Amino acid sequence: MSRPARHLPRVRALFLTAFTASALAACSSGPQTTPADEPTPAQTPTPALTPTPALTPTNPAPPTTHSALTADPSYIANNVVYWWESGGEGELVNSISAAVDVQDLRTSNVWAYDFGPFFDTLDRIREDDPIPDVKTQATWSAALKHLHDGAGDIFDANRLDGMQSHSPSEAAQETRGWKEFDEGIKYLKATQRRLHRTFGLTLLNDPWKEDLQ
C-alpha cells in the first residue's frame, strides 16, 4: 500500500530544515579572516648609525712632492749613474774623440778632412736624453754648442781652397771658429771633471789622456 498523500508536505518541510542546517554548518567551518579593525603589531624603528669620525694624526707628515724628490742628492746621483751606464759614458767618449780629431787639424797639413761624421755625432748626442743633473747638463749643452758652431766656421773658411790661400774674411772666420771651438773644449773638460768629482764616474778609455784629479 502507498503512504497516504497527506503526509507529503511534512516530509518536504523536514527535508528543507535539514538542508538549511547543513548549509549553515558548512559556512561556519570556512576560513576565518582577521577583522579589518584588528590592531597591527607595532613596528620598532631601526636606529640610524652614527658615523665615527676618522682619527687625524697630531702632526701629519707633509706629502713628498716631485720637486722635493728631484732635489734629493742621492736621487740625482742614482739617475746620473743610470744615465752613464745606459750610454752616457759612450756618448761622452764619442764627443771627446770627435773634438780631438778636429783639434789635430791645427798641427796637420792635411785638410782633406770629412766634417760630416763630426757634425752627425754632435747632432745625435744633442738629441739624446740629457744628463739628469742641472749643472752638469748645462756644461754639457754648452760644450756641444760651442764645438758645433766653431767647427762650422772652420769648415766654411776652408772648404773651397783649404789652407793654401785665405781671403781676409776667410782668415777672420777661421780665427773666430777656433776661438769658439776652444770654448767647447773647455766646457767638455768641465763636464768630464764634474762627472768624475761629483759622481765618481771615470772614463775607462779617456781620449784626453789627462789627469782630472
Side-chain angles (χ1 to χ4, degrees):
M1 291 179 65
S2 61
R3 291 181 180 182
R6 64 175 177 269
H7 294 290
L8 292 177
R10 184 180 179 182
V11 172
R12 185 179 296 111
L14 291 174
F15 176 78
L16 291 174
T17 302
F19 176 79
T20 303
S22 298
L24 292 175
C27 291
S28 63
S29 63
Q32 301 297 318
T33 59
T34 303
D37 57 353
E38 183 176 345
T40 303
Q43 299 293 329
T44 303
T46 303
L49 296 178
T50 303
T52 303
L55 297 179
T56 304
T58 305
N59 296 312
T64 302
T65 61
H66 179 70
S67 58
L69 182 63
T70 54
D72 182 13
S74 61
Y75 178 87
I76 295 174
N78 289 336
N79 279 278
V80 172
V81 172
Y82 178 78
W83 169 86
W84 179 270
E85 295 177 348
S86 300
E89 179 184 9
E91 293 294 45
L92 181 60
V93 170
N94 291 338
S95 64
I96 295 174
S97 298
V100 169
D101 288 344
V102 174
Q103 196 175 38
D104 288 344
L105 295 177
R106 280 179 169 175
T107 57
S108 174
N109 293 323
V110 179
W111 270 87
Y113 179 76
D114 185 4
F115 277 81
F118 172 84
F119 292 120
D120 290 342
T121 298
L122 265 60
D123 289 341
R124 185 190 69 249
I125 294 174
R126 293 168 79 176
E127 293 177 356
D128 286 345
D129 292 335
I131 301 175
D133 174 61
V134 175
K135 292 183 179 180
T136 313
Q137 177 59 32
T139 59
W140 179 238
S141 297
L144 298 176
K145 183 180 186 306
H146 285 298
L147 291 173
H148 190 281
D149 294 348
D153 283 339
I154 297 169
F155 171 72
D156 289 339
N158 293 278
R159 61 179 174 176
L160 297 179
D161 48 14
M163 298 185 66
Q164 300 301 320
S165 62
H166 276 167
S167 67
S169 61
E170 289 173 340
Q173 185 177 22
E174 182 180 356
T175 300
R176 184 172 62 251
W178 283 119
K179 184 178 180 180
E180 186 84 8
F181 193 85
D182 288 342
E183 285 296 307
I185 295 294
K186 291 179 183 179
Y187 279 109
L188 194 56
K189 290 183 177 181
T191 301
Q192 186 181 359
R193 278 194 299 270
R194 178 170 175 81
L195 287 169
H196 174 69
R197 295 174 179 175
T198 306
F199 305 104
L201 301 173
T202 303
L203 294 176
L204 295 178
N205 299 307
D206 188 353
W208 298 126
K209 306 300 182 184
E210 295 179 3
D211 185 7
L212 295 175
Q213 298 293 340

